[in-house]
Amino acid sequence: MVRQEVADRVATLKDRGKSVGLATVLVGEDPASQVYVRSKHRAAEKAGMLSFDHGLPGDATQQMVEDKVRDLNRDPAVDGMIVQLPLPAGLDGNRAVETIDPAKDADGLHPYSLGLLALERGFLRPATPSGIMRILQHYDIATSGKLAVIVGRSFLVGKPMALLLGAKGVDATVVQAHSRTKDLAALTKKADILVAAIGRPGFIDGSQIKRGAVVIDVGINRTDEGLVGDVDFDSAVKVAGAITPVPGGVGIMTVASLLANTVAAAEHAVS
Ligand code: NAP
């Protein structure tokens, strides 16, 4: 649905003589990052966008990464760009993201975008949390007055998720948990909406979930059994009212939100 809407908006811009371009910067050859980047290009092309794949070697310097970003900032064919995180050890992902022109910040992770999010303004929102908001909206899940417990406080997922769920009009009551939280299970068992963004396979199981809760599993963990989430799906599904699977849940909506940000940036550029 989101992707169709994005494709329609891309087509409308094309009719006006404006093509929409998404660029990615991938440093090194991490297999998981390569898979993510490929899926972003496939999705962009399906939506009718141009996609530009910029690879840098694993021994690239910070200067090389930032110079590449600055080139893309100046390239009129590029409406949105992402630097695929994490960068190899020794490189500073935050600084690389800060080099992106905020008007082209397709992942919505630039400090300017995050600042606008905190002010409940702006239109380029972090792709993963805004993908989760689309899931909640699509399934008509009530948020107002609900207790939302978010496990994780990264700037990529947990923190912006808290801002979105606690925003005026969404109106959840948000509790943000992290590795120093005491008695996590007591909190998660109270959650009407539980978001797990931890990075530990099967960390939350059915015994830690309130019956009927909405469970959003953000985790993507590579194990011998394949990709698994932060929630133990088999036990959680017996208790939850609704639950997102891994793979095939939040990840898909992250890519959809990335495309939605890119077309919004292109619309903004021509308005
Ligand atoms: P991250 O930066 O490593 O953050 C993990 C968070 O989990 C931290 O805030 C950490 O607390 C908390 N945590 C760790 N152990 C904990 C524990 N025992 N109890 C409670 N909290 C604990 O990871 P991230 O970037 O947010 O990613 C989280 C997961 O989501 C990963 O599996 C990642 O691959 C996945 N992900 C998926 C998508 C998608 O599109 N589906 C997008 C992005 C990320 P502290 O702050 O105290 O250390």
Side-chain angles (χ1 to χ4, degrees), residues 128 152-154 156 178-179 197-200 203 218-221 251 254:
T128 299
R153 58 178 167 183
S154 68
L156 190 65
H178 45 75
S179 67
I198 308 159
R200 297 198 175 199
F203 186 75
V218 186
I220 301 180
N221 305 290
T254 295

Side-chain angles (χ1 to χ4, degrees), residues 20-67:
V20 180
L22 171 68
T24 62
V25 178
L26 172 62
V27 186
E29 289 174 0
D30 174 62
S33 294
Q34 286 175 328
V35 170
Y36 296 144
V37 164
R38 267 201 301 276
S39 78
K40 288 168 188 176
H41 284 288
R42 265 200 311 273
E45 282 155 19
K46 264 195 186 159
M49 294 181 189
L50 300 173
S51 79
F52 309 102
D53 187 357
H54 294 272
L56 290 173
D59 60 358
T61 61
Q62 186 77 27
Q63 185 70 41
M64 285 164 74
V65 178
E66 292 179 16
D67 284 349

